[in-house]
């Protein structure tokens, strides 16, 4: 579906504008403040709308960018063979157009991978990095050491999306009548069980701004001789995060290493060491039949993989802090806003002591 900018819900105090770059027309939310800016990059099946309460709570200027095919930004095809570079290059083009020379960059879920790619390609834009529930740096379809479980990363990419969820996104379904409705998926997966707030309709609106199709969400897929019978294609969003195309472990070797804050929820249903968003986990638990066993198709240790890469980053001269929100799921910035705000501001201040 194509979002209608006139219908987008913008909270009082936030401004929305369109930024024309050499790559796309991007929708950007801003909120004023003092000091080096905070740049906020959303994840998959979401948009900049999810950042609004945090933006209002920060004393620094904040910039939240809708990625291509989300929110009110232009719908353009996503070339998955570039990993997440279509998105990170778009973010860089927006910051260049706005004249932002360096920022405290925050990425959530898929956005965590986008900002790691930004660090690899445009380190000049990154003063500090905050990763909230990030995609594992090795990409999906890998073992703890980052090696592929199968040469074609079977079980990853666009073929793994639930077709009924995709159809409900395209139809703009706001109900909670079925487990596959966006609202039900939000309640079950984006936040810990029992969490509620006054903005749920806004979060669902944000999810429904996702454009569907082979070039966007979820992307295409190809047949595989390995279980479960499909592998990542070359187009669209889910394929960008397959290890067939994505490898962000190069952050270990970047010359300039900004400090990294890694925030995650203890009850994250999406990013975990045995996540039910992983086909291998579904196979292990008998939900997808024919699982070939732990040796051939182990559940992906996403948390352990991220920690291993960040440990290597620290050993190579960088620094990172891992903070676990014990009562949160995939969205600590929604589930405990005061704590997230405090951590982010302290992290930014340590990297840029002259700013507030």
């Amino acid at each position: 579906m194509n979002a209608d900018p006139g219908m987008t819900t913008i909270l009082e105090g936030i401004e929305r504008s369109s930024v024309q770059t050499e790559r796309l027309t991007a929708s950007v939310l801003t909120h004023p403040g003092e000091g080096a800016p905070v740049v906020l990059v959303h994840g998959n099946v979401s948009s900049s709308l999810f950042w609004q309460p945090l933006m209002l709570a920060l004393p620094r200027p904040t910039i939240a960018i809708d990625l291509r095919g989300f929110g009110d930004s232009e719908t353009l095809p996503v070339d998955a063979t570039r990993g997440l570079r279509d998105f990170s290059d778009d973010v860089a083009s927006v910051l260049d157009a706005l004249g932002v020379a360096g920022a405290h960059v925050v990425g959530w879920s898929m956005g965590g991978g986008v900002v790691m790619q930004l660090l690899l390609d445009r380190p000049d834009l990154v003063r500090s990095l905050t990763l909230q529930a990030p995609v594992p740096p090795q990409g999906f379809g890998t073992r703890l050491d980052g090696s592929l479980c199968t040469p074609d990363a079977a079980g990853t990419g666009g073929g793994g999306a639930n077709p009924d969820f995709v159809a409900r996104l395209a139809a703009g379904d706001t109900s909670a009548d079925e487990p596959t409705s966006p609202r039900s998926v939000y309640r079950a997966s984006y936040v810990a069980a029992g969490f509620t707030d006054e903005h749920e309709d806004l979060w669902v609106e944000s999810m429904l701004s996702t454009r569907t199709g082979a070039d966007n969400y979820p992307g295409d897929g190809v047949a595989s001789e390995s279980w479960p019978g499909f592998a990542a294609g070359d187009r669209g969003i889910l394929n960008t995060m397959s290890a067939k195309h994505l490898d962000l472990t190069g952050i270990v070797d970047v010359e300039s290493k900004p400090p990294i804050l890694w925030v995650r929820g203890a009850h994250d249903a999406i990013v975990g060491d045995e996540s039910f968003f992983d086909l291998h986990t579904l196979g292990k638990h008998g939900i997808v039949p024919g699982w070939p066993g732990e040796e051939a198709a182990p559940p992906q240790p996403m948390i352990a993989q991220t920690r291993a890469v960040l440990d290597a980053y620290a050993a190579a001269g960088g620094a990172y802090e891992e903070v676990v929100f014990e009562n949160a799921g995939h969205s600590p910035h929604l589930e405990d806003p005061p704590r997230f705000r405090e951590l982010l501001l302290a992290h930014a201040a340590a990297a840029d002591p002259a700013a507030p």
Side-chain angles (χ1 to χ4, degrees), residues 330-353:
H330 192 59
S331 314
H333 76 288
L334 301 183
E335 298 169 85
D336 192 346
R339 186 182 180 198
F340 188 89
R341 173 187 181 275
E342 179 182 356
L343 283 167
L344 176 57
L345 288 176
H347 180 58
D352 186 14

Side-chain angles (χ1 to χ4, degrees), residues 319-339:
Y320 84 95
E321 179 183 9
E322 176 184 354
V323 179
V324 180
F325 283 47
E326 293 296 342
N327 298 313
H330 192 59
S331 314
H333 76 288
L334 301 183
E335 298 169 85
D336 192 346
R339 186 182 180 198

